[in-house]
Amino acid sequence: MTDILFQPFELNGKITLNNRIVMAPLTRCKADNELVPTDEVARYYARRADAGLIISEATIIRPDGQGYPNTPGLFTEKQVEGWKNVTSAVHQKGGKIFAQLWHTGRVAHPTFFGGEYALAPSAIAFEGTVPRHRDLVYTVPKAATSEEIEQLTEDYATAAQNAITAGFDGVEIHGANGYLIDQFLHFNTNQRTDEFGETPENMTRFPLSVVDAVCERIGGYRTGLRLSPGAYAHIDPDPQDRKVFDHLFEELEKRELAYLHEGMFDDTMEFDFLDGTVSDYMRKHTSKTLIGVGGYNAESGTRAISTDRFDLVAIGRSFISNPDYVSRVLHGQELTAYDPEKLDELI
């Protein structure tokens, strides 16, 4: 039944994957205190190199993007050198790996980078406390100026170049899950009245500028993009968001990208204003390679690919508990169940 998962898949004329199974980005908070990936992190990814594509854990583009402890960066020489060990280990096993580029926006916390404030589209705080640091309450962010937005765009491009220097096969721009780029795309978090707010054209201006800057720096064939048209993480949904994403997808159709990746933890969730699930909405609005994610296993992922709902399936938690996930599925072996009690272990 799962034969289709193990067929090679051509992302484009320059990148072909060994199979259709993607290791989803999984934040593990295991970088050292300088946000450098360790040798243990390199072993962790190398053990999972049988995936057609590994998408790295979310990796911050600059210090003020940090919203969780010990998440790796791609903005210092030490961090780039640390990632070289990871990419080399994956390539030695025949795998491919993209770096997920991340800025958490209003979900950042100044404690992590010694700053005065977090940057966001608007000065609207996210209610609650920081995971793993329940003593840290989210702060009211500063609305980024036009000049700061221009610098953020440049910093995404620089991080993308750093990723290629570090040996990554490409990058995935994290534009989902309520983080910085996603915050610009939803009315709940973007209440600006300037050229970055109010209309679909304005609200997509910064996300598209990041896409264009990264593609110009490293090539569209090495650039993926993750999106959450249905707000559910760190953002409240608003039916008006539909017109923003309709416009965004129209613009993305004009650009070369390696793939689009839906950002859902559970792809059975339906949104009335999207006429169903996020993956089905995205499939209707793009001709690009689409990665589905959100609670799939080998069997359900196979069914979705076979019925053309998406092209590649990303697996998350099962890759934590089964480093040899691809081999186990291929040979019909039982999988080890994900155990949240062991989430802090890196194996």
Side-chain angles (χ1 to χ4, degrees):
M1 175 183 174
T2 59
D3 287 353
I4 193 172
L5 294 182
F6 301 98
Q7 298 173 359
F9 184 85
E10 187 175 294
L11 278 182
N12 46 57
K14 297 182 180 180
I15 299 176
T16 298
L17 310 181
N18 291 332
N19 56 65
R20 293 177 183 247
I21 299 173
V22 176
M23 178 178 166
L26 297 159
T27 295
R28 302 303 306 275
C29 299
K30 293 298 182 181
D32 69 18
N33 289 335
E34 294 183 87
L35 310 187
V36 176
T38 64
D39 290 342
E40 187 181 18
V41 171
R43 289 193 294 271
Y44 166 81
Y45 282 111
R47 294 185 69 190
R48 292 155 174 83
D50 284 346
L53 176 65
I54 294 173
I55 303 173
S56 82
E57 61 204 280
T59 302
I60 57 178
I61 63 166
R62 63 188 221 179
D64 68 352
Q66 187 177 358
Y68 305 86
N70 297 100
T71 50
L74 261 171
F75 55 88
T76 71
E77 289 186 15
K78 285 186 178 180
Q79 292 162 2
V80 170
E81 290 301 312
W83 279 118
K84 284 181 180 180
N85 294 332
V86 175
T87 60
S88 176
V90 170
H91 291 151
Q92 286 175 18
K93 293 291 187 67
K96 289 184 172 62
I97 182 168
F98 274 36
Q100 190 186 63
L101 305 183
W102 193 32
H103 191 296
T104 62
R106 71 173 186 161
V107 189
H109 200 285
T111 292
F112 291 121
F113 49 88
E116 297 180 17
Y117 49 77
L119 278 178
S122 301
I124 304 170
F126 176 63
E127 294 184 6
T129 58
V130 177
R132 299 173 182 257
H133 276 281
R134 296 299 180 184
D135 57 320
L136 295 179
V137 178
Y138 287 111
T139 61
V140 177
K142 175 183 177 293
T145 65
S146 296
E147 291 76 17
E148 287 168 331
I149 291 172
E150 184 177 352
Q151 185 60 55
L152 281 161
T153 300
E154 174 60 26
D155 291 338
Y156 271 100
T158 298
Q161 183 59 65
N162 287 345
I164 300 306
T165 300
F168 283 99
D169 298 286
V171 305
E172 175 178 288
I173 300 167
H174 197 345
N177 305 123
Y179 298 118
L180 180 65
I181 290 175
D182 200 28
Q183 290 161 22
F184 276 86
L185 295 169
H186 296 272
F187 282 90
N188 175 241
T189 46
N190 184 345
Q191 298 181 16
R192 302 175 70 99
T193 58
D194 63 359
E195 70 270 31
F196 297 100
E198 295 189 300
T199 69
E201 292 78 10
N202 287 347
M203 293 171 70
T204 58
R205 191 181 307 278
F206 170 61
L208 288 170
S209 74
V210 172
V211 170
D212 290 341
V214 170
C215 289
E216 182 178 359
R217 192 69 60 90
I218 68 169
Y221 73 96
R222 294 196 288 200
T223 304
L225 174 63
R226 194 178 211 206
L227 294 170
S228 294
Y232 70 102
H234 306 121
I235 290 180
D236 295 329
D238 187 321
Q240 296 181 90
D241 295 343
R242 167 68 183 261
K243 60 186 180 183
V244 179
F245 280 91
D246 283 354
H247 177 74
L248 177 64
F249 280 102
E250 288 177 8
E251 289 298 315
L252 291 175
E253 280 294 284
K254 304 172 185 177
R255 292 157 167 85
E256 177 191 15
L257 288 171
Y259 62 80
L260 295 177
H261 182 189
E262 64 161 313
M264 292 297 294
F265 300 137
D266 179 0
D267 195 36
T268 65
M269 290 180 65
E270 295 190 355
F271 300 85
D272 290 342
F273 62 93
L274 297 179
D275 302 320
T277 66
V278 165
S279 60
D280 288 340
Y281 167 78
M282 290 180 68
R283 181 53 118 187
K284 291 175 184 175
H285 287 79
T286 185
S287 62
K288 302 185 186 307
T289 294
L290 180 61
I291 301 177
V293 73
Y296 291 98
N297 56 30
E299 290 73 24
S300 61
T302 296
R303 287 193 296 271
I305 291 172
S306 298
T307 55
D308 197 36
R309 290 187 57 213
F310 44 76
D311 305 291
L312 306 168
V313 61
I315 303 295
R317 291 176 173 179
S318 289
F319 256 120
I320 293 177
S321 52
N322 299 272
D324 55 347
Y325 177 84
V326 174
S327 176
R328 288 188 180 225
V329 172
L330 178 62
H331 296 102
Q333 298 173 337
E334 185 177 355
L335 297 175
T336 300
Y338 169 76
D339 183 355
E341 296 298 319
K342 295 182 179 180
L343 181 59
D344 284 339
E345 297 179 12
L346 191 69
I347 57 174

